[in-house]
Amino acid sequence: MRLTDDRYSGERSQFELALRMIRHEARTRTIRECTGLSDDRIRKLYATYFRDSGNNVIKRRRGKSPRQVTRYVKTPENQLQATTLVALYCAGLLLRIDQEDRVHACWPRPDVEFGHRLCRAYETYLLFHDNASLSFEWAWNLLQCISYNEELYLAHCRGCNARYVQDAYALDHRICPACAMDIPAKSRPLETELTAI
Ligand SMILES: [Zn+2]
């Protein structure tokens, strides 16, 4: 009996995560990686809960996740939003920053708990930014890119001392996006929270 209960609650958690990710328009592949559900089951869930229910607002994305780090640093606004996401990943224990400001992934491989933490971080990010410009897939991609410490890294602002997401191949003026945008200290979304832990 116990085994059945555990299996049931495990499956329920997988389904809940799949529905949560579909709502964010995550790609099938991303949902599969986190939930462990087959493409076929994901398609059926989508069909049952979204397509056939008359809810046509949610689109199902196919193919690979986008990969172009310039998206995160294209404008100070995007840079600020990417920095908010990284701070939320740290708060959700998906990432850790060491004393040298290098970023480390804390989760060995995606699973259901990882997926829920990713969703929670993304949902909080949406609350912080009315004009959110990064989709769920861009957020997922950022989590991976920043933990490689290759194309993206955490730079250090000479004005306010905050860390911010920066392109490793761009000229860095050591001015964080919030200082560049002249955002008063008390209205800055989480940027100053990005410190080594
Ligand atoms: Zn600054």
Side-chain angles (χ1 to χ4, degrees):
M1 290 305 279
R2 188 60 200 224
L3 187 68
T4 318
D5 287 351
D6 284 352
R7 209 175 126 191
Y8 174 71
S9 78
E11 280 201 344
R12 209 179 85 168
S13 190
Q14 283 174 305
F15 285 131
E16 277 170 0
L17 177 60
L19 294 176
R20 195 174 183 182
M21 293 177 81
I22 290 172
R23 269 185 220 108
H24 291 312
E25 300 183 4
R27 281 164 208 266
T28 307
R29 184 182 165 159
T30 312
I31 300 172
R32 187 184 64 218
E33 281 186 45
C34 292
T35 61
L37 295 171
S38 68
D39 286 7
D40 191 47
R41 293 191 91 177
I42 296 166
R43 270 193 293 273
K44 282 181 183 147
L45 269 179
Y46 172 76
T48 309
Y49 290 92
F50 298 95
R51 196 183 62 206
D52 299 344
S53 67
N55 183 346
N56 293 321
V57 183
I58 307 287
K59 291 192 272 308
R60 201 163 68 82
R61 310 265 173 186
R62 295 174 173 83
K64 285 187 175 176
S65 244
R67 279 190 90 86
Q68 251 173 356
V69 297
T70 47
R71 170 86 187 221
Y72 305 114
V73 293
K74 190 171 67 170
T75 60
E77 177 63 44
N78 279 22
Q79 210 172 4
L80 183 68
Q81 295 194 15
T83 303
T84 301
L85 272 169
V86 173
L88 290 167
Y89 292 151
C90 292
L93 305 180
L94 293 170
L95 293 178
R96 180 177 65 81
I97 300 168
D98 69 20
Q99 298 299 328
E100 277 86 48
D101 287 347
R102 288 180 67 81
V103 180
H104 302 269
C106 300
W107 224 264
R109 71 185 85 83
D111 61 10
V112 172
E113 177 60 26
F114 170 93
H116 278 299
R117 283 171 188 248
L118 182 65
C119 285
R120 202 174 304 135
Y122 187 69
E123 287 154 12
T124 312
Y125 154 75
L126 294 179
L127 293 176
F128 276 114
H129 296 278
D130 294 336
N131 52 347
S133 61
L134 300 171
S135 68
F136 186 84
E137 287 294 327
W138 281 105
W140 157 270
N141 188 43
L142 172 66
L143 176 61
Q144 293 172 325
C145 286
I146 194 91
S147 34
Y148 298 148
N149 294 287
E150 286 171 4
E151 292 175 277
L152 290 176
Y153 73 108
L154 289 181
H156 210 162
C157 178
R158 62 183 149 89
C160 70
N161 225 12
R163 281 141 184 97
Y164 58 99
V165 174
Q166 178 61 295
D167 180 352
Y169 300 104
L171 196 62
D172 181 31
H173 298 289
R174 298 194 60 209
I175 297 173
C176 75
C179 283
M181 292 160 75
D182 234 352
I183 298 174
K186 60 177 168 45
S187 323
R188 294 183 178 196
L190 287 179
E191 195 193 38
T192 47
E193 306 285 320
L194 260 189
T195 46
I197 47 172

